[in-house]
Amino acid sequence: MILELDCGNTLIKWRILPGEGQAPRHVGSAGSDVDLVGQLDGLPGLHLRWCRIVSVRSDEETSRLLEKLTRRHPVEVRQATAAPFCSGVRNGYEDYRRLGLDRWLAVLGGYRLAGKACMIIDLGTAITADFVNAGGEHLGGYICPGLPLMRAQLRTHTRRIRYDDAEADQALADLSPGRTSAQAVERGCLQMLRGFVGLQCAQAASLLGADFDVFLTGGDAALVVDVWPGARNVADLVFVGLALACPIERG
């Protein structure tokens, strides 16, 4: 069995594959390394042989997580690292080591699924947009605050804007002008999000030509999937790229 880990800024996303190239048998997310190990311990008949991991956390945090994991499950670890070229894609950063690993893997995954020019937008704590041409050249991209950061800044730094998560959820029932602070903030932030995605899609048409795919991933992807016709919401795009960057021998 193969354990795949995507250690982001907020959550550790995980899934377990019976073998290379097979569909996941278990999937989940954990708030900490202790939570992760606890969730894995609760799975019956778990016999892990491999672990492949991508982490945007510090080396110390990642090492601590792997130490806890391998103490309970003696797996062989494959960890994704920066690369100038992988699986048909050339890293477009001036210093390839500075491109975030989660972005790099999402780019690899998007290009593999598309087989042609594509744009990848990851909508999480931050939003990233990356462009890849038909020849596999990564053209660079953009980073901006995601919904969690936008709303947190307004709720933290504007004294009269105070509301709870329940109000936030109710506020997104529609996008008409808000009649409460919660509605005004939540709908305003969502419109900024949708506007950014629409602008990136229009720019992709200019940079990549008429024939390109749009991939959306991340927790808020469902909020914008209708912005561009044919856009695909692929929740496990980073895992697709992780398998390409860290292949595991069959057998």
Side-chain angles (χ1 to χ4, degrees), residues 146-158 162-163 185-186 189:
L147 272 183
L149 288 177
M150 284 192 280
R151 66 164 63 100
Q153 287 297 305
L154 284 169
R155 290 166 70 174
T156 301
H157 297 289
T158 307
R162 295 290 185 272
Y163 58 91
V185 169
E186 293 297 318
C189 289

Side-chain angles (χ1 to χ4, degrees), residues 62-238:
T62 304
S63 296
R64 188 165 57 242
L65 183 153
L66 289 174
E67 181 182 353
K68 284 187 175 68
L69 174 66
T70 54
R71 193 181 302 144
R72 300 296 293 271
H73 303 277
V75 294
E76 293 191 49
V77 177
R78 298 284 187 269
Q79 185 168 351
T81 58
F85 183 85
C86 181
S87 195
V89 181
R90 186 167 301 281
N91 193 313
Y93 258 31
E94 293 178 356
D95 179 352
Y96 71 87
R97 294 164 295 188
R98 302 290 292 178
L99 178 63
L101 284 174
D102 51 347
R103 285 176 66 193
W104 175 234
L105 296 185
V107 163
L108 296 182
Y111 188 70
R112 171 56 61 92
L113 294 180
K116 61 181 180 181
C118 59
M119 180 183 66
I120 300 95
I121 302 182
D122 190 340
L123 299 109
T125 304
I127 303 170
T128 61
D130 287 281
F131 305 83
V132 187
N133 69 18
E137 293 287 337
H138 172 231
L139 305 180
Y142 298 94
I143 304 174
C144 69
L147 272 183
L149 288 177
M150 284 192 280
R151 66 164 63 100
Q153 287 297 305
L154 284 169
R155 290 166 70 174
T156 301
H157 297 289
T158 307
R159 293 190 180 188
R160 292 185 178 274
I161 294 180
R162 295 290 185 272
Y163 58 91
D164 59 27
D165 291 340
E167 287 181 278
D169 291 339
Q170 294 171 3
L172 292 179
D174 63 69
L175 287 180
S176 61
R179 292 179 177 270
T180 67
S181 292
Q183 292 174 356
V185 169
E186 293 297 318
R187 295 173 188 179
C189 289
L190 180 54
Q191 292 218 34
M192 289 187 69
L193 183 73
R194 292 173 63 84
F196 176 82
V197 171
L199 179 62
Q200 298 312 304
C201 291
Q203 186 164 3
S206 174
L207 288 171
L208 304 175
D211 188 18
F212 66 93
D213 283 347
V214 174
F215 294 98
L216 306 172
T217 192
D220 288 324
L223 297 174
V224 298
V225 72
D226 62 324
V227 169
W228 189 258
R232 295 164 60 185
N233 183 357
V234 183
D236 58 355
L237 194 57
V238 169

